[in-house]
Amino acid sequence: MVATDSPTAPIPEPGRDFVRDIVQADLDAGRVAGIVTRFPPEPNGYLHIGHAKSICLNFGIAQEFGGRCHLRFDDTNPVKEEQEFIDSIQQDVRWLGFDWGEHLYYASDYFETLYHWAEHLIRAGLAYVDDTPADEMRAMRGTLTEPGRNAPGRDRSVDENLDLFRRMRAGAFPIGARVLRAKIDMAAGNMNLRDPVLYRILHAAHPRTGTAWCIYPTYDYAHGQSDAIEGITHSICTLEFEDHRPLYDWFIANLPVPAHPHQYEFARLNITYTVLSKRILTTLVREGHVTGWDDPRMPTLAGQRRRGVPAAGLREFVRRVGVARANSVVDLAMYEHAIREVLNAGTQRRMAVLRPLKLVIENWEEGRTETLEAVNNPENPDAGTRPVTFGREIYIERDDFLEHPPSRFHRLSPGREVRLRYAYFVTCRSVVKDSQGEVVELRCTYDPATRGGDSPDGRKVRGTLHWVSAADALPAELRLYNTLFARPDPGAGGDILADLNPASLEVLTGCLVEPALATLPVGEAVQFERQGYFCPDPDSRPDALVFNRTVGLRDSWAKVQAGQKAD
Ligand code: ATP
Ligand code: MG
């Protein structure tokens, strides 16, 4: 489909990354009977573009290899988790085009099992209750170069540990008073094996289990066991969990789990000018730097959807990025390029004027209008045409006129003839200025023989302008988005909030759009000819239209690629 020398190359073939190779090899060798993957978000925020990579990988593998993919909420920290996030995550995974069927699970469904397994570890002499204060415990953990020190409680008897752990569960102790730790090795080179915490006391209500529990398993203790309970064959996660794998394997080796999942790590998605960390995204929302999780400047799926990004565009982007083990940063231009390509193929064209300048056609009768046919999508003839009204008074883009044009300016200026898209050739005869000397109106004539935009005598014009008709254009507000951060590596200077782009949102009012745009559904993108892709915002009302710019037309990715080749 795409030649190798095009700006979009190279595109990895689906099914040709190292995770899929492992899955295929496991099937071929009969090591697994079928493929079971899962996407395991913690419901402490909205999903972002990075999660889309993980979702496409896990659900994609399940689809391609005839297996299934679970959606499992890793809801082990009630302090940060909310029902709103549980709901939004489900909505976003569905929107992205994936379906978990009946396989919706929660780590909290396994709290009772996880508790029993914790007692199992205590009985085996592999876990103990520790009452060392948190900061002391941290100091006793040692460093990468120094071994840790054993806590005084490490040698408590099994009976004493069981008694203390049961009282922890019963609510006998205040928050943070005690923890349950695995008894592994305080001198282990891998810090994750230095007696990690399995349970902590949190007197906090949980979105699903309410106040049934006041001790909660840590993510590390719950995660792998949840995979085992569900019979996950390939536990796919990001590279930062590579060092946790020995711990997960230790649990699996020491607990009566029904299955032995294997973990494989891949590189997180990073994008220039973009922050993909829920912690920081949460700060942006809480502190009001954005209007909410679905602010169209946010890299969340909800934000991108509101902005008009189609799910197919996100999937295509993720496919092009591929799956690798080396961390890297993807150019934002590559994201926009993928979105633009998908929108270009699928969206209809409309005309909208961002900064209107009135144009009056002097040789057109007052009051007469004509209906012309405008092509909906030159890339797709099946999209048909639509009627547009033409008349004596129209509006063009202020930028498309210059009174004193430089030589390379091919648009309208005094004495110059241009084509109005789908309509006629017009020639500018004179300009009207206000008292400040600003041009407020162009007086033009049109050539009736050029209807549809072609001249019968083969006369050429250099410029073709979009326009709207004064007779039926509708006023609209346009929201133009720029990057939320002003530097490609937000936070690299130490203060990420200082890197916020003060010009991330530009609001244009008094724009004029074709009447056909009044009925466009919220979130559905169209191309405003020569301006970019736009979609109606949920704030849009029939008498106060509001559009978001999804992405502009100018493709800097093609330039980036061309530059690399020239080197
Ligand atoms: P944080 O942003 O605080 O690091 P998180 O995004 O890792 O949190 P989770 O809910 O644990 O939050 O993520 C769910 C899954 O999505 C995990 O398996 C994680 O590995 C994966 N994931 C998260 N961020 C990315 C990313 N940038 N690229 C690829 N996968 C990601
Ligand atoms: Mg995480």
Side-chain angles (χ1 to χ4, degrees), residues 264-279:
Y264 303 95
E265 304 90 12
F266 70 99
R268 290 177 83 84
L269 176 64
N270 300 296
I271 306 176
T272 55
Y273 295 97
T274 308
V275 167
L276 298 178
S277 151
K278 274 192 286 192
R279 188 176 56 79

Side-chain angles (χ1 to χ4, degrees), residues 70-122:
H70 298 182
L71 175 62
R72 183 181 68 243
F73 289 101
D74 269 335
D75 54 348
T76 55
N77 184 1
V79 177
K80 293 196 171 158
E81 295 159 6
E82 290 173 26
Q83 188 61 40
E84 178 192 351
F85 300 140
I86 293 176
D87 296 339
S88 76
I89 288 169
Q90 296 188 47
Q91 187 190 359
D92 290 349
V93 174
R94 277 210 192 88
W95 172 74
L96 200 54
F98 298 102
D99 185 4
W100 53 89
E102 303 156 1
H103 300 285
L104 175 63
Y105 303 105
Y106 296 83
S108 55
D109 294 341
Y110 314 135
F111 279 175
E112 197 62 47
T113 305
L114 292 169
Y115 176 84
H116 281 290
W117 285 346
E119 287 205 352
H120 177 97
L121 289 176
I122 293 173

